[in-house]
Amino acid sequence: MPLRPLPLLAPLAALSLAGCGVNTIPAADETVKAKWADVQSQYQRRADLVPNLVATVKGYATHEQATLTGVTEARARATSVTLRADDLSDPAKMRAFQDAQNSLSGALGRLLSVKEAYPDLKADQQFLALQSQLEGTENRINVARQDYNEAVRQYNTLIRTFPTALTAKIVYGATPKTPYEATSPGADQAPKVSF
């Protein structure tokens, strides 16, 4: 009795499909999108905290109006630039988003330095609590960006390595995602502290 090749081909076909990334590529893409949503969530948390911080400082440092106005304007710019998960492969859109967020980071740094000039402000519990929340948020943003970059690295590796590269191009038309990069001037240099 001759062997029928069809029953033998079914397990072989299933095994080869499993190795070509048919399921892993969309899973990796969804992970990148989820990690990007985490980054956006942390930026939203920061944007929500900023008005409270500004209102608290405003009560103590009314003559620092330019700094407060700068923070408010930077927050408005940062929240007006959005980046959808579909735009993660566009370096120009990613750069615009990063620039807006970096502008807010710089303005917040200037605002937090205002506290050094006002001893009453440093002692205010509301300010200290908000400052702590903002510092925690900045740390969460950093962790979320690191997690996003790791998901991007895994995705980009997946779509560029054999055999999943074939499936990525042929089946999904996958393109590499853009990692989050430091764009602030001097971000590659450690700050110098001197007293």
Side-chain angles (χ1 to χ4, degrees):
M1 180 174 206
L3 285 174
R4 292 186 182 189
L6 190 57
L8 296 175
L9 290 179
L12 183 60
L15 185 59
S16 65
L17 279 176
C20 71
V22 168
N23 291 328
T24 55
I25 293 169
D29 187 44
E30 290 303 316
T31 299
V32 168
K33 290 175 183 176
K35 295 298 182 183
W36 182 248
D38 292 344
V39 170
Q40 289 178 312
S41 174
Q42 294 307 322
Y43 278 130
Q44 183 62 50
R45 184 175 191 270
R46 178 173 71 175
D48 293 343
L49 282 172
V50 168
N52 294 322
L53 182 62
V54 169
T56 301
V57 174
K58 204 179 269 189
Y60 286 93
T62 54
H63 53 286
E64 289 291 341
Q65 195 61 40
T67 302
L68 297 171
T69 301
V71 170
T72 303
E73 289 171 356
R75 177 190 178 268
R77 283 190 304 274
T79 56
S80 70
V81 177
T82 57
L83 188 66
R84 297 174 308 146
D86 296 340
D87 297 332
L88 295 176
S89 296
D90 186 341
K93 289 181 181 177
M94 189 69 150
R95 175 76 56 205
F97 181 84
Q98 288 174 263
D99 290 345
Q101 294 302 326
N102 289 338
S103 173
L104 179 55
S105 294
L108 287 172
R110 288 187 294 281
L111 175 63
L112 292 176
S113 69
V114 166
K115 76 175 173 73
E116 298 301 322
Y118 304 102
D120 291 342
L121 182 58
K122 288 195 296 190
D124 182 65
Q125 292 304 311
Q126 286 182 324
F127 179 80
L128 293 175
L130 287 169
Q131 181 182 7
S132 175
Q133 287 290 320
L134 196 55
E135 183 178 310
T137 298
E138 292 300 317
N139 289 336
R140 289 176 184 187
I141 288 169
N142 188 46
V143 168
R145 287 189 301 216
Q146 289 173 346
D147 290 347
Y148 167 75
N149 281 349
E150 178 58 20
V152 167
R153 184 196 63 76
Q154 290 176 2
Y155 175 82
N156 288 348
T157 300
L158 185 67
I159 67 166
R160 290 180 173 151
T161 54
F162 184 80
T164 54
L166 297 173
T167 305
K169 291 289 182 201
I170 296 169
V171 177
Y172 298 110
T175 57
K177 304 291 185 192
T178 304
Y180 202 98
E181 299 173 356
T183 57
S184 297
D188 57 340
Q189 302 293 319
K192 292 185 172 96
V193 178
S194 61
F195 297 101

